[in-house]
Amino acid sequence: MQKLAAGNWKMNGNSAALTEVSALLDSHPAPACEMLLCPPATLIAQMAWAARGSVLKIGGQDCHAKASGAHTGDISAAMLQDAGASYVILGHSERRADHGETDAMVRAKAEAALAAGVTAVVCVGETEAQRDAGETLAVIGAQLEGSVPAGATAATLVVAYEPVWAIGTGRTPTIAQIAEVHAFLRARLTALIGAEAEGTRLLYGGSVKPSNAAEIFAVPHVDGALVGGASLKAADFGAIVAALSAA
Ligand code: PGA
């Protein structure tokens, strides 16, 4: 399994920010893990051009469940692929919260991604209230079961565990909490997709930064990270890539 360092730029960055891509590739031209950046849709084609001939993969942050049609403002998985993306983040908690995305919608989008040859990075994670109520594994299990696309394989699916309360807050779960969820994810995914689950990358996301990356990457069944804020600067993301390469 090749581990994966994925960056989610969210609604940040314009063409001037592409200097971060060249800086990242100058400092990490051949890391021992896979590197992925998911910029806003407006930057996908430009970033793909900036990354041409390099190991850096490009991804979208969402796609529509349909391949084309009368869906003003939406983008299909095939369009992402045409623009240079090979991955798409789906079901991020910000989309679940801001756009009312349900597990069924996330699964439909993930199936569209697979049909377009785009790898789906499906996000799951509990809120703080759910964790406090002892519902973490039940919530994550239900999200996983509801969101994982039919026919998913290790090559076409990545699962990201992102506790909602750890995103953009500087707070992270304990190592034991991350270990518990990731072991649970591997087991539940095995029940869902069989042996393919063994090679499916399970990412941790939520306030990953250079100072905590190494200890998180040492946790069993953590096969990489989905990084928000710290992916915007090449120096920070590069340090996370280096930590994953060394793990
Ligand atoms: P963060 O975001 O690293 O800024 O906490 C993670 C994410 O939402 O993917």
Side-chain angles (χ1 to χ4, degrees):
M1 178 200 292
Q2 203 186 19
K3 295 183 177 177
L4 175 63
N8 172 11
W9 279 19
K10 308 191 179 184
M11 198 171 72
N12 297 293
N14 52 25
S15 45
L18 293 173
T19 53
E20 298 298 331
V21 174
S22 31
L24 177 68
L25 289 170
D26 284 349
S27 56
H28 295 87
C33 64
E34 199 170 4
M35 269 194 313
L36 165 68
L37 282 177
C38 302
T42 48
L43 279 184
I44 289 173
Q46 284 181 76
M47 192 181 279
W49 178 252
R52 69 193 184 283
S54 80
V55 297
L56 179 65
K57 304 278 175 52
I58 311 298
Q61 299 174 9
D62 176 48
C63 70
H64 196 275
K66 295 269 166 57
S68 65
H71 302 287
T72 301
D74 280 311
I75 297 173
S76 74
M79 291 168 176
L80 293 177
Q81 200 266 347
D82 181 55
S86 50
Y87 283 82
V88 61
I89 298 169
L90 295 171
H92 189 283
S93 63
E94 287 152 16
R95 292 210 56 90
R96 291 179 186 260
D98 296 352
H99 299 273
E101 291 190 4
T102 62
D103 291 334
M105 289 162 73
V106 174
R107 169 182 276 151
K109 289 170 181 230
E111 287 174 353
L114 268 51
V118 175
T119 295
V121 181
V122 171
C123 303
V124 297
E126 82 287 1
T127 64
E128 185 156 36
Q130 288 164 335
R131 178 165 282 280
D132 289 346
E135 297 167 359
T136 299
L137 297 185
V139 166
I140 291 168
Q143 287 176 330
L144 196 69
E145 211 158 295
S147 309
V148 165
T153 65
T156 59
L157 176 70
V158 174
V159 175
Y161 166 51
E162 298 206 303
V164 177
W165 51 273
I167 294 175
T169 60
R171 299 167 58 204
T172 51
T174 65
I175 292 303
Q177 287 170 331
I178 297 174
E180 179 190 34
V181 171
H182 278 249
F184 172 79
L185 281 175
R186 184 79 69 202
R188 285 303 282 268
L189 201 55
T190 300
L192 288 171
I193 66 171
E196 287 294 321
E198 200 51 47
T200 300
R201 274 86 56 89
L202 305 180
L203 311 184
Y204 167 77
S207 297
V208 176
K209 45 190 186 249
S211 60
N212 63 16
E215 62 170 346
I216 291 171
F217 295 150
V219 176
H221 302 294
V222 172
D223 310 312
L226 181 54
V227 185
S231 72
L232 293 169
K233 290 287 167 232
D236 289 344
F237 192 59
I240 292 166
V241 166
L244 186 57
S245 296

